[in-house]
Amino acid sequence: MFFQLRETKKSDVDTYDQVRQLITATLHQECPQHSSKHHILYTANLQLEQYKEAKEFFYAQCDVTTSLGTFSKEAYDKANKNYHQLYLIIRAYMHLSDERQREHFNHHFRFSKEQIETMYDYYAHYSTHVKTLALEEGFWHALKEDLIPLLTQLE
């Protein structure tokens, strides 16, 4: 009697594809006003400009002696954080758009492979569980917080 091992079917999605799908999904989430008439980078750059204008406005209004000034400081901090996160996501999207660099990025992400697979699996089950419980905003925020440190290595 011979025993045959069953081959487990591995998906053809490598780390490069996983990160690219996560980045693309995050970029679309960051730009809900995106129209199919435009490229996603056009819409993302418009959103980036809006964050920049908000930063400038709230920075000019900062005054720790008033409640509105304190609110402006908090709003400035949030606009600044959103600006820098979106900037990193845009840059990562641009880097990962070059298909010729697949081997380079697969090599680059080899130490983070398990973390990327965990994020990707979570994203794959997003519509099943997260949407059912109406936790979309928290999911996208948590995904960005886990993804941003990986993206800072690309620059």
Side-chain angles (χ1 to χ4, degrees):
M1 176 180 243
F2 294 99
F3 293 102
Q4 292 180 349
L5 296 175
R6 285 189 177 173
E7 290 185 30
T8 57
K9 185 179 177 183
K10 291 240 178 189
S11 65
D12 294 341
V13 180
D14 59 354
T15 307
Y16 172 84
D17 284 330
Q18 291 174 341
V19 173
R20 188 171 175 194
Q21 286 181 17
L22 289 171
I23 293 296
T24 303
T26 305
L27 197 55
H28 280 279
Q29 179 63 28
E30 287 291 309
C31 303
Q33 71 279 12
H34 175 63
S35 169
S36 60
K37 294 184 228 175
H38 303 292
H39 194 279
I40 187 65
L41 290 179
Y42 173 77
T43 308
N45 280 317
L46 288 177
Q47 183 69 36
L48 199 64
E49 189 62 30
Q50 289 176 353
Y51 284 145
K52 183 179 177 184
E53 290 173 3
K55 278 177 31 175
E56 291 170 356
F57 173 77
F58 286 117
Y59 183 76
Q61 307 301 322
C62 288
D63 180 13
V64 293
T65 60
T66 65
S67 294
L68 278 177
T70 305
F71 168 78
S72 294
K73 171 70 171 120
E74 292 169 4
Y76 168 78
D77 290 341
K78 184 173 182 173
N80 194 33
K81 180 180 179 183
N82 289 347
Y83 176 86
H84 289 293
Q85 284 181 344
L86 183 57
Y87 178 80
L88 276 173
I89 292 168
I90 290 170
R91 296 290 297 165
Y93 181 86
M94 290 169 47
H95 284 299
L96 293 171
S97 292
D98 188 4
E99 190 74 28
R100 297 172 298 181
Q101 297 290 329
R102 176 182 292 272
E103 291 302 317
H104 169 73
F105 287 117
N106 278 331
H107 179 73
H108 181 77
F109 289 127
R110 72 187 181 281
F111 294 117
S112 306
K113 186 174 182 170
E114 292 172 1
Q115 181 184 9
I116 291 168
E117 286 176 356
T118 302
M119 286 188 285
Y120 184 76
D121 288 340
Y122 220 104
Y123 171 69
H125 298 297
Y126 163 75
S127 63
T128 308
H129 303 294
V130 175
K131 279 189 171 181
T132 304
L133 299 174
L135 300 170
E136 290 97 353
E137 186 176 329
F139 169 77
W140 289 110
H141 178 71
L143 181 64
K144 275 195 315 187
E145 292 297 320
D146 287 344
L147 199 55
I148 293 296
L150 294 173
L151 303 181
T152 58
Q153 301 170 10
L154 293 179
E155 292 294 322

